[in-house]
Amino acid sequence: MKMIFLGAPGAGKGTQAEIVSAKLGIPAISTGAIIREAIKAGTETGLAAKKFTDAGALVPDEVVIGIIKERLAKADCAKGFILDGFPRTVPQAEALDKMGVKMDLVLSLEVADEAIVERMSGRRVCDKCGASYHVAFNPSEDGVNCDKCKTPLSIRRDDAPEVVKSRLNVYHETTEPLKDFYAEKGILKLVQGCEKVEDTTKSTLAALNVSEE
Ligand code: AMP
């Protein structure tokens, strides 16, 4: 099964993608996480991407398309995958088509902008393994360290309120048109993002026809 999880930044794509990935045994691929790793490692791609991510802008299409091409060529993608945060523009979606990657399903997580701004202010992430938490809605066990690797959690630079607003504008102007792009292909499903992660997971699994067991 090849899936795309669409949605505004902070809608919960990453969290749901990780849950579905563990359930189905297929990788969840986050271009945002790959870019953050590249920035941390100081690679050429990371250096090229940093000024865009810091400003809440999109990294140029050719850079992310290159990243995704390389990632999808890896052996663990053979049985399927979940794309989280890619494509974010129509040219990126067209690039997937050109690569011959035929998606089975595109799931759009719908969350109102006001809820997003509130959520982002409480988001905490693990810089080491990429896990994501929320101080109120999805806290780590001790509230300070990552449950998986015990690294102290941090706040993403691009979760600052002014940056969140520009990321939301970018989402509405550039990424949301992808809903029409995939609706025309007949593979778009909308899922209402809820406050509680478990509630969103229920709706997500139902949309994917995957049992909760
Ligand atoms: P995310 O973790 O998905 O919110 O991504 C964080 C940041 O990485 C975004 O604000 C963009 O600057 C960049 N990024 C991630 N995915 C893409 C993409 N598909 N196209 C362009 N920029 C991206």
Side-chain angles (χ1 to χ4, degrees):
M1 181 93 142
K2 295 177 187 143
M3 297 178 251
I4 293 169
F5 281 14
L6 269 185
K13 301 184 297 290
T15 304
Q16 296 305 323
E18 288 300 333
I19 294 170
V20 175
S21 154
K23 252 190 171 327
L24 299 184
I26 54 174
I29 300 170
S30 155
T31 39
I34 297 173
I35 290 167
R36 280 188 289 283
E37 267 165 38
I39 292 174
K40 210 164 73 182
T43 65
E44 209 173 296
T45 306
L47 291 175
K50 190 173 184 313
K51 61 175 185 291
F52 298 100
T53 57
D54 279 354
L58 292 184
V59 172
D61 285 337
E62 61 275 17
V63 177
V64 269
I65 291 167
I67 289 174
I68 216 77
K69 251 189 197 157
E70 209 173 285
R71 182 62 187 87
L72 293 184
K74 296 201 174 152
D76 64 339
C77 293
K79 278 199 234 134
F81 47 80
I82 303 166
L83 297 182
D84 157 22
F86 185 95
R88 259 176 158 99
T89 66
V90 170
Q92 290 178 18
E94 288 168 347
L96 273 182
D97 285 349
K98 274 188 213 131
M99 279 181 234
V101 179
K102 198 171 175 309
M103 302 309 301
D104 299 300
L105 188 69
V106 177
L107 199 139
S108 175
L109 271 181
E110 305 285 307
V111 179
D113 283 7
E114 305 78 68
I116 297 273
V117 174
E118 194 192 321
R119 279 186 192 190
M120 303 288 248
S121 63
R123 176 151 72 174
R124 298 293 179 272
V125 292
C126 174
D127 284 339
K128 192 163 172 219
C129 76
S132 184
Y133 302 88
H134 189 281
V135 289
F137 308 132
N138 178 30
S140 72
E141 274 162 21
D142 65 7
V144 230
N145 298 300
C146 177
D147 291 344
K148 293 182 192 157
C149 66
K150 303 298 167 207
T151 305
L153 298 176
S154 55
I155 299 175
R156 268 171 55 171
R157 284 167 74 103
D158 58 351
D159 278 350
E162 328 74 70
V163 184
V164 169
K165 285 197 188 116
S166 57
R167 290 170 69 199
L168 278 171
N169 286 340
V170 170
Y171 170 72
H172 290 303
E173 280 170 24
T174 317
T175 306
E176 215 167 13
L178 287 177
K179 290 202 295 198
D180 286 340
F181 183 92
Y182 287 114
E184 275 167 29
K185 291 182 188 277
I187 56 171
L188 179 75
K189 282 197 183 175
L190 304 187
V191 166
Q192 201 57 48
C194 307
E195 202 165 82
K196 283 200 183 139
V197 172
E198 311 84 83
D199 294 340
T200 309
T201 302
K202 269 196 182 137
S203 313
T204 301
L205 295 178
L208 300 176
N209 279 328
V210 173
S211 111
E212 280 182 50
E213 295 313 303

Short mmCIF file of all heavy atoms in Angstrom, two decimals, residues 1-2 18 21 23 25 40-41 43 58-59 71-72 81 91 94 103 113 115 128 150 166 171 184 196 199 211 213:
data_model
loop_
_atom_site.label_atom_id
_atom_site.label_comp_id
_atom_site.label_asym_id
_atom_site.label_seq_id
_atom_site.Cartn_x
_atom_site.Cartn_y
_atom_site.Cartn_z
N MET A 1 0.84 -1.20 0.00
CA MET A 1 0.00 0.00 0.00
C MET A 1 0.88 1.26 0.00
O MET A 1 1.74 1.41 0.87
CB MET A 1 -0.86 -0.05 1.28
CG MET A 1 -1.80 1.09 1.44
SD MET A 1 -3.40 0.71 0.76
CE MET A 1 -4.46 1.50 1.94
N LYS A 2 0.65 2.12 -0.97
CA LYS A 2 1.43 3.37 -1.04
C LYS A 2 0.50 4.52 -0.71
O LYS A 2 -0.50 4.73 -1.39
CB LYS A 2 1.99 3.55 -2.45
CG LYS A 2 3.01 2.48 -2.79
CD LYS A 2 3.50 2.65 -4.21
CE LYS A 2 4.37 1.48 -4.58
NZ LYS A 2 4.18 1.08 -5.97
N GLU A 18 3.41 7.38 11.91
CA GLU A 18 4.21 6.45 12.72
C GLU A 18 3.35 5.29 13.21
O GLU A 18 3.78 4.14 13.22
CB GLU A 18 4.83 7.18 13.92
CG GLU A 18 5.98 8.13 13.58
CD GLU A 18 7.15 7.42 12.90
OE1 GLU A 18 7.35 6.23 13.12
OE2 GLU A 18 7.85 8.10 12.12
N SER A 21 2.48 3.08 10.28
CA SER A 21 3.72 2.41 9.85
C SER A 21 4.00 1.19 10.72
O SER A 21 4.29 0.10 10.22
CB SER A 21 4.87 3.43 9.93
OG SER A 21 6.10 2.81 10.11
N LYS A 23 1.85 -0.50 12.50
CA LYS A 23 0.79 -1.49 12.32
C LYS A 23 0.95 -2.30 11.04
O LYS A 23 0.73 -3.50 11.01
CB LYS A 23 -0.56 -0.76 12.24
CG LYS A 23 -1.39 -0.96 13.48
CD LYS A 23 -2.78 -0.43 13.28
CE LYS A 23 -3.70 -0.79 14.38
NZ LYS A 23 -3.55 -2.03 15.06
N GLY A 25 3.77 -2.36 9.07
CA GLY A 25 5.14 -2.80 8.77
C GLY A 25 5.69 -2.20 7.49
O GLY A 25 6.45 -2.84 6.76
N LYS A 40 21.26 18.97 10.64
CA LYS A 40 22.06 18.65 11.82
C LYS A 40 23.44 18.11 11.42
O LYS A 40 24.46 18.44 12.02
CB LYS A 40 21.31 17.61 12.67
CG LYS A 40 21.63 17.72 14.14
CD LYS A 40 20.63 16.99 15.00
CE LYS A 40 20.83 15.50 14.88
NZ LYS A 40 19.87 14.71 15.65
N ALA A 41 23.44 17.30 10.36
CA ALA A 41 24.70 16.69 9.92
C ALA A 41 25.55 17.67 9.12
O ALA A 41 26.71 17.38 8.80
CB ALA A 41 24.40 15.44 9.09
N THR A 43 25.20 18.56 5.96
CA THR A 43 25.46 18.15 4.57
C THR A 43 25.13 19.31 3.62
O THR A 43 24.51 20.30 4.02
CB THR A 43 24.58 16.95 4.17
OG1 THR A 43 23.22 17.39 4.20
CG2 THR A 43 24.75 15.77 5.11
N LEU A 58 8.94 26.71 1.98
CA LEU A 58 9.21 25.38 1.43
C LEU A 58 10.61 25.33 0.83
O LEU A 58 11.08 26.31 0.24
CB LEU A 58 8.19 25.03 0.33
CG LEU A 58 6.75 24.81 0.79
CD1 LEU A 58 5.89 24.39 -0.39
CD2 LEU A 58 6.65 23.77 1.90
N VAL A 59 11.24 24.20 0.99
CA VAL A 59 12.54 23.94 0.36
C VAL A 59 12.25 23.75 -1.13
O VAL A 59 11.21 23.18 -1.49
CB VAL A 59 13.17 22.68 1.02
CG1 VAL A 59 14.41 22.23 0.30
CG2 VAL A 59 13.45 22.95 2.50
N ARG A 71 15.25 8.10 -1.35
CA ARG A 71 14.66 7.33 -0.25
C ARG A 71 13.78 6.19 -0.77
O ARG A 71 13.80 5.09 -0.23
CB ARG A 71 13.85 8.30 0.65
CG ARG A 71 13.20 7.64 1.87
CD ARG A 71 14.25 7.06 2.81
NE ARG A 71 13.67 6.27 3.89
CZ ARG A 71 13.37 4.98 3.83
NH1 ARG A 71 13.57 4.31 2.70
NH2 ARG A 71 12.89 4.35 4.87
N LEU A 72 13.00 6.47 -1.83
CA LEU A 72 12.07 5.45 -2.34
C LEU A 72 12.81 4.30 -3.03
O LEU A 72 12.25 3.23 -3.23
CB LEU A 72 11.04 6.07 -3.29
CG LEU A 72 10.05 7.05 -2.66
CD1 LEU A 72 9.02 7.51 -3.68
CD2 LEU A 72 9.33 6.43 -1.45
N PHE A 81 4.71 2.22 1.43
CA PHE A 81 5.25 3.25 2.31
C PHE A 81 4.19 4.33 2.54
O PHE A 81 3.17 4.38 1.85
CB PHE A 81 6.51 3.88 1.68
CG PHE A 81 6.34 4.25 0.23
CD1 PHE A 81 5.70 5.42 -0.13
CD2 PHE A 81 6.79 3.39 -0.76
CE1 PHE A 81 5.53 5.75 -1.46
CE2 PHE A 81 6.62 3.71 -2.11
CZ PHE A 81 5.99 4.90 -2.45
N PRO A 91 3.93 20.49 -8.55
CA PRO A 91 5.09 19.90 -9.27
C PRO A 91 5.70 18.69 -8.55
O PRO A 91 6.15 17.75 -9.20
CB PRO A 91 6.10 21.06 -9.33
CG PRO A 91 5.25 22.29 -9.25
CD PRO A 91 4.09 21.95 -8.38
N GLU A 94 3.48 15.82 -9.39
CA GLU A 94 3.71 15.42 -10.78
C GLU A 94 5.02 14.65 -10.90
O GLU A 94 5.13 13.71 -11.70
CB GLU A 94 3.74 16.67 -11.69
CG GLU A 94 2.34 17.25 -11.86
CD GLU A 94 2.33 18.64 -12.50
OE1 GLU A 94 3.40 19.28 -12.61
OE2 GLU A 94 1.23 19.10 -12.87
N MET A 103 0.26 6.04 -6.44
CA MET A 103 -0.24 6.03 -5.07
C MET A 103 -1.60 5.33 -5.01
O MET A 103 -2.40 5.43 -5.94
CB MET A 103 -0.38 7.46 -4.53
CG MET A 103 0.90 8.29 -4.55
SD MET A 103 2.36 7.54 -3.81
CE MET A 103 1.82 7.27 -2.15
N ASP A 113 -7.26 26.04 11.50
CA ASP A 113 -6.02 26.81 11.74
C ASP A 113 -5.84 27.18 13.22
O ASP A 113 -4.73 27.10 13.74
CB ASP A 113 -6.03 28.11 10.92
CG ASP A 113 -5.71 27.85 9.46
OD1 ASP A 113 -5.62 26.67 9.07
OD2 ASP A 113 -5.55 28.83 8.71
N ALA A 115 -6.80 25.68 15.88
CA ALA A 115 -6.37 24.51 16.66
C ALA A 115 -4.90 24.21 16.39
O ALA A 115 -4.15 23.82 17.27
CB ALA A 115 -7.24 23.31 16.32
N LYS A 128 16.92 13.27 18.33
CA LYS A 128 17.69 12.06 18.00
C LYS A 128 16.88 11.11 17.11
O LYS A 128 17.32 10.75 16.03
CB LYS A 128 18.12 11.36 19.27
CG LYS A 128 19.14 10.29 19.01
CD LYS A 128 19.86 9.88 20.27
CE LYS A 128 20.73 8.68 20.01
NZ LYS A 128 20.69 7.76 21.14
N LYS A 150 15.07 8.26 25.25
CA LYS A 150 15.41 8.99 26.50
C LYS A 150 16.18 10.30 26.28
O LYS A 150 16.75 10.86 27.22
CB LYS A 150 16.22 8.08 27.47
CG LYS A 150 15.49 6.80 27.84
CD LYS A 150 14.18 7.09 28.57
CE LYS A 150 13.29 5.85 28.67
NZ LYS A 150 11.88 6.15 28.76
N SER A 166 3.17 31.70 8.96
CA SER A 166 3.55 31.68 7.54
C SER A 166 3.52 30.27 6.99
O SER A 166 3.20 30.06 5.82
CB SER A 166 4.87 32.40 7.28
OG SER A 166 5.88 31.84 8.04
N TYR A 171 0.75 26.42 3.42
CA TYR A 171 -0.08 25.21 3.28
C TYR A 171 -1.33 25.52 2.44
O TYR A 171 -1.62 24.82 1.48
CB TYR A 171 -0.48 24.66 4.66
CG TYR A 171 -1.53 23.57 4.52
CD1 TYR A 171 -1.18 22.33 4.02
CD2 TYR A 171 -2.87 23.82 4.83
CE1 TYR A 171 -2.14 21.34 3.82
CE2 TYR A 171 -3.83 22.83 4.64
CZ TYR A 171 -3.46 21.60 4.13
OH TYR A 171 -4.42 20.64 3.93
N GLU A 184 -9.33 14.29 -8.08
CA GLU A 184 -9.57 13.99 -9.50
C GLU A 184 -9.12 12.58 -9.86
O GLU A 184 -9.67 11.95 -10.76
CB GLU A 184 -8.86 15.01 -10.38
CG GLU A 184 -9.70 16.26 -10.59
CD GLU A 184 -8.91 17.40 -11.19
OE1 GLU A 184 -7.95 17.16 -11.93
OE2 GLU A 184 -9.28 18.56 -10.87
N LYS A 196 -7.67 14.43 20.64
CA LYS A 196 -6.96 13.27 21.19
C LYS A 196 -6.39 12.42 20.06
O LYS A 196 -7.10 12.06 19.12
CB LYS A 196 -7.94 12.41 22.00
CG LYS A 196 -8.26 12.98 23.34
CD LYS A 196 -8.80 11.88 24.24
CE LYS A 196 -9.21 12.43 25.57
NZ LYS A 196 -10.47 11.83 26.03
N ASP A 199 -8.35 9.29 19.08
CA ASP A 199 -9.56 9.49 18.28
C ASP A 199 -9.21 9.66 16.80
O ASP A 199 -9.89 9.12 15.92
CB ASP A 199 -10.34 10.72 18.79
CG ASP A 199 -10.87 10.50 20.20
OD1 ASP A 199 -10.98 9.32 20.61
OD2 ASP A 199 -11.17 11.49 20.89
N SER A 211 -7.89 -2.83 10.67
CA SER A 211 -8.55 -3.07 11.96
C SER A 211 -7.72 -2.49 13.10
O SER A 211 -6.50 -2.35 13.00
CB SER A 211 -8.77 -4.56 12.17
OG SER A 211 -7.96 -5.04 13.18
N GLU A 213 -7.22 -3.81 15.96
CA GLU A 213 -6.57 -4.88 16.78
C GLU A 213 -5.08 -4.94 16.51
O GLU A 213 -4.63 -4.76 15.40
CB GLU A 213 -7.21 -6.24 16.47
CG GLU A 213 -8.67 -6.30 16.88
CD GLU A 213 -8.92 -5.76 18.30
OE1 GLU A 213 -8.29 -6.31 19.23
OE2 GLU A 213 -9.73 -4.85 18.48
#
